């Protein structure tokens, strides 16, 4: 039986996220989906709107083999053809499922670096992010539900509720926060194991409410590249390149991560040594989706958690450019609600958020449902 929530989600992706128009080319990229229903709905929906859909269907096991056997030449060849295709697109919808979220865990770091540098970065950072109306999302699978510690049926209900949220109302609630971030210079963050200061002065502030990620709910900018000083202890796990990291702690000096530890300290530092920019941060964001309360080892959900923020070693976005360039972009999440240890965020000495809840009167709409 066809699930009508699939069609509702497809409409959000086509009309709200991509604002797809007649005559536009849209690439639908599916990775490890258990079934094709959403892709079919997107193809049919794009065609009804007069757009031109193109589909690519990938398998993570095959990609693992390609990455493990990567050479400069093989990654550049893949990039050449995918870049040619991406350059013809006005919109991009990326749907990622996973039968095994740790599928890439045994790909050597030097091989992942080849993929990131010669394939992912030229196609996605340079072309897709800057040149298309793009949106990426995960797909509800058994392994995804397991990571969220939920039954598959319960997780599907949660997933569709969160992914088809009222993004117009979210956008309205975010406006006062955007205004405050645009005026702010010094940010101070305190919490268990965390005492961090940096500047966001004159860096563009971007509200996210369904146009690039599904689910969505964050307001992001970037730290001034050399301004971060202090320590931070992240309290959520993070899966990156197939490995689950926990207990990540950074020490910063003049913007650079000078000390980094975790359960996988050696792997963590290998990632941070991918290039010069990997030890500097390209994004800082405040989570505003109060439907998402607990981490589930998926960045697209975890970085939106109500009462959280994330700090990102690696590449900045052109739209909020602090000058940092890297092949990595790794959003690491710290939740500041009381059930996760609490904490505060200050803008220029004023308390902005305490224990996950915004303090100023003009930001109270962002606390609804928290």
């Amino acid at each position: 039986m066809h699930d009508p929530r699939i069609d509702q989600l497809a409409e959000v992706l086509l009309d709200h996220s991509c604002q797809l128009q007649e005559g536009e080319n849209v690439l639908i990229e599916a990775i490890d989906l258990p079934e094709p229903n959403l892709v079919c709905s997107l193809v049919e929906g794009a065609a009804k709107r007069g757009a031109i859909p193109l589909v690519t269907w990938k398998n993570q096991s095959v990609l693992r083999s390609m990455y493990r056997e990567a050479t400069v030449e093989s990654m550049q060849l893949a990039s050449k053809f995918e870049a040619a295709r991406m350059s013809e697109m006005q919109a991009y919808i990326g749907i990622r499922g996973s039968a095994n979220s740790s599928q890439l865990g045994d790909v050597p770091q030097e091989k992942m670096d080849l993929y990131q540098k010669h394939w992912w970065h030229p196609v996605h950072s340079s072309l897709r992010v800057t040149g298309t109306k793009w949106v990426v999302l995960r797909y509800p699978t058994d392994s995804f539900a397991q990571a969220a510690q939920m039954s598959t049926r319960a997780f599907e209900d949660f997933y569709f509720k969160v992914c088809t949220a009222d993004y117009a109302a979210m956008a309205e609630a975010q406006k006062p926060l955007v205004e405050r971030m645009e005026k702010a210079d010094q940010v101070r963050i305190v919490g268990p194991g965390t005492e961090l200061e940096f500047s966001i002065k004159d860096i563009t502030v971007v509200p996210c409410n369904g146009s690039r990620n599904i689910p969505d709910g964050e307001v992001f900018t970037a730290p001034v590249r050399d301004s971060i000083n202090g320590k931070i202890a992240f309290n959520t796990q993070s899966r990156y390149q197939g490995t689950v990291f926990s207990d990540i702690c950074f020490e910063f000096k003049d913007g650079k991560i000078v000390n980094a530890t975790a359960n996988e300290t050696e792997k963590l530092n290998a990632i941070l040594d991918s290039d010069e920019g990997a030890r500097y941060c390209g994004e800082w964001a405040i989570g505003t989706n109060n439907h998402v309360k607990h981490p589930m080892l998926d960045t697209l959900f975890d970085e939106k958690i109500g009462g959280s923020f994330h700090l990102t070693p690696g590449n900045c976005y052109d739209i909020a450019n602090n000058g940092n360039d890297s092949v990595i972009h790794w959003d690491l999440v710290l939740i500041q609600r009381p059930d996760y240890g609490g904490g505060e965020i200050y803008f220029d000495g004023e308390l902005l958020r305490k224990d996950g809840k915004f303090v100023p009167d003009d930001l109270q709409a962002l606390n609804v449902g928290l």
Side-chain angles (χ1 to χ4, degrees):
M1 181 180 294
H2 183 73
D3 189 338
R5 297 176 299 183
I6 292 285
D7 297 328
Q8 183 184 1
L9 178 58
E11 290 179 3
V12 170
L13 297 171
L14 294 169
D15 295 330
H16 179 81
S17 302
C18 292
Q19 300 181 25
L20 197 63
Q21 303 297 312
E22 184 177 355
E24 290 185 328
N25 299 333
V26 55
L27 175 62
I28 303 162
E29 184 173 64
I31 302 176
D32 268 6
L33 298 196
E35 42 81 12
N37 291 348
L38 179 56
V39 174
C40 293
S41 187
L42 286 167
V43 169
E44 294 162 9
K48 287 178 182 177
R49 289 159 175 78
I52 304 168
L54 181 66
V55 174
T56 180
W57 189 284
K58 294 181 177 180
N59 178 276
Q60 198 80 301
S61 295
V62 175
L63 291 174
R64 171 185 172 276
S65 295
M66 291 188 68
Y67 300 158
R68 284 179 61 88
E69 304 303 325
T71 63
V72 172
E73 293 77 15
S74 68
M75 295 296 97
Q76 287 181 340
L77 181 62
S79 175
K80 176 182 178 180
F81 285 96
E82 292 214 343
R85 178 177 59 187
M86 192 70 76
S87 65
E88 297 291 328
M89 298 297 136
Q90 286 75 53
Y92 168 92
I93 301 173
I95 315 162
R96 290 87 185 263
S98 182
N100 178 2
S101 298
S102 299
Q103 191 69 263
L104 305 182
D106 60 353
V107 179
Q109 186 59 45
E110 64 270 19
K111 297 293 188 178
M112 288 303 301
D113 287 346
L114 290 177
Y115 159 68
Q116 294 276 353
K117 180 178 180 180
H118 297 292
W119 183 349
W120 191 90
H121 199 56
V123 175
H124 292 274
S125 290
S126 299
L127 285 174
R128 188 254 295 173
V129 170
T130 61
T132 72
K133 298 180 291 184
W134 61 271
V135 62
V136 296
L137 69 155
R138 299 292 188 258
Y139 195 81
T141 61
D142 289 341
S143 65
F144 198 176
Q146 186 175 33
Q149 299 183 346
M150 300 172 70
S151 70
T152 300
R153 179 66 63 84
F155 181 74
E156 287 176 352
D157 291 341
F158 163 77
Y159 173 90
F160 286 109
K161 178 181 179 181
V162 171
C163 289
T164 58
D166 186 344
Y167 290 114
M170 180 184 293
E172 193 64 28
Q174 289 173 340
K175 287 180 180 179
L177 178 58
V178 173
E179 293 175 4
R180 284 178 172 270
M181 291 175 70
E182 288 174 338
K183 295 175 182 177
D185 177 359
Q186 293 296 317
V187 176
R188 178 170 174 253
I189 302 174
V190 298
T194 297
E195 179 71 45
L196 203 66
E197 294 186 357
F198 54 89
S199 173
I200 57 172
K201 185 177 182 180
D202 297 330
I203 307 291
T204 303
V205 178
V206 182
C208 298
N209 36 65
S211 60
R212 291 294 175 261
N213 289 173
I214 296 292
D216 216 343
E218 66 175 272
V219 179
F220 79 85
T221 183
V224 174
R225 187 177 186 268
D226 61 356
S227 70
I228 309 179
N229 284 285
K231 297 180 179 180
I232 184 168
F234 295 97
N235 58 7
T236 66
Q237 293 181 313
S238 177
R239 180 183 281 113
Y240 193 73
Q241 296 179 355
T243 297
V244 175
F245 294 86
S246 61
D247 304 314
I248 297 175
C249 296
F250 291 154
E251 181 181 352
F252 288 88
K253 182 175 175 56
D254 298 331
K256 185 176 182 178
I257 300 170
V258 295
N259 188 42
T261 60
N263 64 319
E264 295 277 1
T265 295
E266 185 176 347
K267 279 192 174 184
L268 172 65
N269 281 279
I271 293 169
L272 296 177
D273 289 335
S274 296
D275 53 37
E276 181 182 357
R279 285 189 178 267
Y280 291 82
C281 288
E283 181 188 352
W284 178 68
I286 297 177
T288 64
N289 190 327
N290 297 337
H291 293 297
V292 188
K293 290 186 168 63
H294 303 288
M296 56 188 72
L297 279 175
D298 187 274
T299 300
L300 285 181
F301 279 74
D302 296 352
E303 67 179 356
K304 314 304 190 315
I305 289 172
S308 78
F309 69 84
H310 57 274
L311 186 64
T312 308
N315 200 54
C316 67
Y317 288 114
D318 285 351
I319 196 172
N321 198 327
N322 73 345
N324 199 47
D325 183 64
S326 176
V327 297
I328 79 162
H329 181 94
W330 186 4
D331 297 312
L332 294 170
V333 178
L334 196 158
I335 305 171
Q336 292 190 303
R337 300 196 315 268
D339 49 330
Y340 285 87
E344 295 95 45
I345 298 175
Y346 297 84
F347 282 0
D348 298 319
E350 178 186 2
L351 181 60
L352 181 89
R353 201 178 72 178
K354 181 177 176 61
D355 294 342
K357 288 192 175 183
F358 293 95
V359 175
D361 290 342
D362 59 324
L363 301 180
Q364 292 306 301
L366 292 170
N367 291 332
V368 175
L370 195 62

